[in-house]
Amino acid sequence: MEKKIALFPGSFDPFTKGHEDIVKRGLQLFDEIIIAIGYNSQKSNRYFAIDLMVKYIEYTFRNYPNIRVATYAELTAEFARRHDAKFLLRGIRNTTDYEYENSISQMNRKLYHELESVFLITSPQYAWISSSIIREVHRYGGDVSDFLPYDINVAET
Ligand code: ADP
């Protein structure tokens, strides 16, 4: 049978325990998951550097040979097609996420018809974790370690 490859695309600025939870649960559905950090080469306005985030995510899943980390600067649908990923994995926390996810999944299917979006409802303990709140707390020196699956204070390896 064909390998079921899913793409888990996002900004992951930063990658949180909520994201980690979605990936781990996704492994029950897919043979392989590609965590893909999307970025815009024209305007890089990230808070956490993309190369650093790749390292942190790779470290988080160092014991999972079926999880890969990639970066991309093209349409998510195109990236999925090029990597033979027929599934898009996304997490939903609330109705705001739902509205947004609904429209992008319709668009993605128009762009790549075989692409099926699969949504997992967030685990309740992570429902309020958002990358933007973590950025804000970190910016002002707050401790965000409880929300991240890796240690952000450890120097790059
Ligand atoms: P994007 O910029 O594409 O919204 P994010 O990095 O914010 O990327 O999120 C990637 C995916 O993870 C989205 O589907 C988002 O809804 C989901 N997600 C974000 N935070 C959580 C969380 N705490 N629990 C579950 N899913 C989440």
Side-chain angles (χ1 to χ4, degrees), residues 8-19 21-22 25 72 89-93 97 100-101 104 119-123 126-132 135:
F8 182 46
S11 318
F12 306 126
D13 190 20
F15 189 89
T16 69
K17 283 190 178 171
H19 295 130
D21 178 62
I22 297 293
R25 288 164 57 202
Y72 71 105
L89 176 61
R90 299 284 288 177
I92 290 191
R93 287 164 293 187
D97 276 355
Y100 176 65
E101 295 295 337
I104 48 176
F119 304 99
L120 296 184
I121 299 291
T122 180
S123 299
Y126 304 124
W128 56 274
I129 297 181
S130 77
S131 297
S132 58
R135 286 197 298 275

Side-chain angles (χ1 to χ4, degrees), residues 7-12 34-38 68-72 76 79:
L7 198 68
F8 182 46
S11 318
F12 306 126
I34 305 171
I35 301 168
I37 311 178
R68 282 189 281 154
V69 185
T71 62
Y72 71 105
T76 303
F79 185 80

Side-chain angles (χ1 to χ4, degrees), residues 20-150:
E20 179 195 29
D21 178 62
I22 297 293
V23 172
K24 287 191 171 164
R25 288 164 57 202
L27 280 179
Q28 298 181 328
L29 305 171
F30 307 112
D31 299 311
E32 198 179 314
I33 296 177
I34 305 171
I35 301 168
I37 311 178
Y39 72 100
N40 183 335
S41 49
Q42 254 77 61
K43 57 168 177 66
S44 178
N45 49 6
R46 292 182 63 89
Y47 180 76
F48 291 100
I50 197 159
D51 297 350
L52 196 60
M53 202 44 63
V54 167
K55 283 193 180 144
Y56 283 139
I57 303 171
E58 280 175 347
Y59 179 76
T60 302
F61 296 105
R62 64 196 177 284
N63 297 322
Y64 294 79
N66 46 353
I67 293 179
R68 282 189 281 154
V69 185
T71 62
Y72 71 105
E74 63 186 304
L75 281 174
T76 303
E78 271 319 304
F79 185 80
R81 195 201 304 271
R82 287 201 301 110
H83 288 78
D84 247 351
K86 302 261 167 56
F87 302 92
L88 266 193
L89 176 61
R90 299 284 288 177
I92 290 191
R93 287 164 293 187
N94 47 43
T95 52
T96 312
D97 276 355
Y98 169 77
E99 300 283 345
Y100 176 65
E101 295 295 337
N102 188 6
S103 54
I104 48 176
S105 82
Q106 306 292 357
M107 178 55 83
N108 281 328
R109 212 194 324 212
K110 278 256 184 279
L111 296 167
Y112 175 14
H113 189 67
E114 288 80 47
L115 191 61
E116 194 68 78
S117 295
V118 175
F119 304 99
L120 296 184
I121 299 291
T122 180
S123 299
Q125 66 269 39
Y126 304 124
W128 56 274
I129 297 181
S130 77
S131 297
S132 58
I133 291 179
I134 291 178
R135 286 197 298 275
E136 208 60 11
V137 172
H138 189 266
R139 200 191 303 274
Y140 294 104
D143 181 10
V144 293
S145 54
D146 276 358
F147 317 117
L148 306 177
Y150 45 83

